[in-house]
Amino acid sequence: MYLSRLILDLRQPAVRRMVSDIYQLHRSVLAAFPAAPAGQSARAYFGILYRSETIAQRPMLVRLLVQAQHEPDWSTLAAHHLGPDLDERGNPAVRRIDEEYARITNGTALFFRLRANPTRKLPERLPGREDRLAGKRVALLREEEQLAWLGRKGEQHGFRLVATQLEPDIPAVQAARQANERGRRPAREGGQTMALTFGTTIFSGQLEVSDAERFRACLSQGIGSGKAFGFGLLSIASMGL
């Protein structure tokens, strides 16, 4: 498993166009990987997950994190699209993370960060009612709904959210709703251009691993929907416990 960290320079018009359209960023990320076998999604085949975010105190720079089973070739990005090397690790910086994930055991405590698209499915259309949203997925907008969604994902994927010290029933997690991510998928033969819109929430806080095998699978496969467009990458860091 490989983790890439790229610093992109928003002063470049091509970079601004790329990060402002989730479909264009999707294409730029996938361009660093070989073609997948016929009939298979390259994102799923190579296990590609990624997240872009503006760097605090450096508003003209964007950090792009990309995790994948296959080592990427970032020469597909023009050199002038890259910003400065902020920490002397190189830009792009690419490293193996298999051993770090292998060391995770039940009870491991971790800080985490996740950009997700928390949604719920509406009931199917009822007889005698016309509802264009019936049976579709809609974004969860209230913080309590978003935290409950993440708690359910934790039960599914082998982790629990750590509670605050003062309020045992309240998780030590922040759910920060962001502006919707948008883009346009080009028209396929005989079709029309498709507008893409994803509700966006940044989760950050503390978790504890309850099932290491399922949790490692979650790290590899991501959480929630929208993985092809920069959602679902669970980033972790040791709490030193």
Side-chain angles (χ1 to χ4, degrees):
M1 184 85 72
Y2 296 86
L3 180 64
S4 301
R5 194 280 334 261
L6 301 92
I7 306 298
L8 304 178
D9 188 348
L10 284 174
R11 292 172 297 183
Q12 300 298 325
V15 173
R16 292 198 298 273
R17 289 193 296 270
M18 178 173 65
V19 301
S20 65
D21 184 315
I22 56 174
Y23 185 76
Q24 295 304 320
L25 183 56
H26 160 87
R27 291 187 61 187
S28 296
V29 169
L30 264 62
F33 296 88
Q40 298 198 48
S41 156
R43 192 217 64 79
Y45 185 78
F46 294 114
I48 302 168
L49 297 168
Y50 64 95
R51 181 176 73 248
S52 64
E53 52 196 11
T54 304
I55 298 175
Q57 311 303 322
R58 303 293 294 269
M60 295 309 295
L61 299 178
V62 168
R63 179 188 297 109
L64 176 62
L65 300 174
V66 183
Q67 177 183 283
Q69 298 284 355
H70 188 282
E71 185 173 10
D73 174 11
W74 293 114
S75 66
T76 54
L77 280 178
H80 64 273
H81 290 175
L82 299 173
D85 178 5
L86 299 178
D87 54 13
E88 299 183 352
R89 288 192 294 149
N91 187 26
V94 182
R95 62 187 178 91
R96 295 292 298 262
I97 54 176
D98 308 76
E99 291 187 4
E100 296 173 37
Y101 285 3
R103 288 196 294 268
I104 294 172
T105 60
N106 291 357
T108 298
L110 299 164
F111 292 113
F112 76 91
R113 186 172 178 84
L114 167 71
R115 182 168 76 163
N117 172 231
T119 62
R120 68 183 178 94
K121 187 176 181 180
L122 294 177
E124 297 294 337
R125 183 178 290 111
L126 297 175
R129 285 185 55 185
E130 289 295 329
D131 187 349
R132 64 184 181 85
L133 295 178
K136 297 184 180 297
R137 290 199 167 274
V138 296
L140 298 175
L141 303 180
R142 298 201 306 270
E143 183 179 22
E144 59 268 28
E145 292 180 320
Q146 296 170 344
L147 291 174
W149 175 89
L150 185 59
R152 292 192 297 272
K153 292 298 181 182
E155 293 175 1
Q156 177 184 349
H157 293 299
F159 67 90
R160 68 174 186 86
L161 303 178
V162 175
T164 62
Q165 292 183 347
L166 297 179
E167 298 287 347
D169 295 329
I170 299 178
V173 176
Q174 290 184 328
R177 187 179 168 201
Q178 309 288 299
N180 287 349
E181 292 286 348
R182 302 180 185 276
R184 298 195 71 82
R185 187 199 299 268
R188 295 176 179 173
E189 186 175 353
Q192 295 182 335
T193 300
M194 178 185 295
L196 302 170
T197 304
F198 289 86
T200 305
T201 299
I202 299 291
F203 294 99
S204 57
Q206 303 171 25
L207 62 79
E208 182 179 290
V209 177
S210 55
D211 185 317
E213 183 175 353
R214 281 192 291 151
F215 184 70
R216 282 192 290 267
C218 166
L219 291 173
S220 175
Q221 298 166 11
I223 294 179
S225 59
K227 298 183 186 74
F229 298 107
F231 297 89
L233 172 62
L234 181 62
S235 299
I236 56 172
S238 172
M239 291 175 60
L241 301 178

